[in-house]
Amino acid sequence: MSTERYRQTQLSDDAYLRAWVSLRQRRRNMWIVFFAWPFAIAVGIKILHFLTGALENQIAPYVAIPVFLMAFVLMATFSFPCPRCGKEFYRKNSYRNPFSKECLNCRIRVGTPKNAPTGEPPDKGSDVQRTPS
């Protein structure tokens, strides 16, 4: 029996979980672009040199394209709006922390469902202490 149908139903019901999926995709795209842009520049220079016969220093304006792509992906990742408070997740006033696991404004942790009472994911611990029976 597949749990994919249950997962899709659960994901469509919770706006916070959809936001966390979006954040995960943004982070993945950021790392892909971060590691791929040097190769894209090198390959792009070689292709343009082969096609046009231009020297590497004449191709410099075309090198800016992957750099702008990297900047765009970084801005899209770090301007992620918090699903709870709506402010930027990685920014509080002038302070920024792109490696934070929680919103710098309302302290909601990544992965927290909308109906969680404490603002923490349910698997990160609970306030209820169990007594042995």
Side-chain angles (χ1 to χ4, degrees), residues 7-47:
R7 183 176 175 273
Q8 289 175 350
T9 304
Q10 183 181 10
L11 187 62
S12 67
D13 292 342
D14 194 346
Y16 284 17
L17 293 179
R18 285 193 305 268
W20 302 134
V21 168
S22 172
L23 178 62
R24 192 174 305 119
Q25 290 170 347
R26 290 177 185 209
R27 286 180 177 174
R28 183 194 63 226
N29 292 342
M30 178 194 62
W31 287 113
I32 289 171
V33 170
F34 178 77
F35 287 113
W37 75 271
F39 300 109
I41 289 174
V43 169
I45 288 174
K46 293 299 180 187
I47 289 172

Side-chain angles (χ1 to χ4, degrees), residues 29-85:
N29 292 342
M30 178 194 62
W31 287 113
I32 289 171
V33 170
F34 178 77
F35 287 113
W37 75 271
F39 300 109
I41 289 174
V43 169
I45 288 174
K46 293 299 180 187
I47 289 172
L48 286 172
H49 177 69
F50 177 76
L51 292 176
T52 63
L55 299 174
E56 277 87 6
N57 61 356
Q58 296 171 332
I59 303 173
Y62 299 104
V63 172
I65 294 171
V67 173
F68 284 122
L69 176 64
M70 180 66 183
F72 176 74
V73 169
L74 284 174
M75 287 187 327
T77 303
F78 297 138
S79 66
F80 175 75
C82 175
R84 180 188 285 166
C85 66

Side-chain angles (χ1 to χ4, degrees), residues 66-120:
V67 173
F68 284 122
L69 176 64
M70 180 66 183
F72 176 74
V73 169
L74 284 174
M75 287 187 327
T77 303
F78 297 138
S79 66
F80 175 75
C82 175
R84 180 188 285 166
C85 66
K87 297 179 182 175
E88 286 188 33
F89 192 83
Y90 295 110
R91 179 179 176 203
K92 184 172 185 175
N93 300 328
S94 63
Y95 175 71
R96 294 175 191 259
N97 183 359
F99 303 107
S100 178
K101 300 281 186 198
E102 61 184 21
C103 176
L104 296 179
N105 297 291
C106 69
R107 297 295 195 206
I108 186 173
R109 293 189 57 84
V110 173
T112 304
K114 187 173 185 174
N115 57 2
T118 61
E120 294 183 7

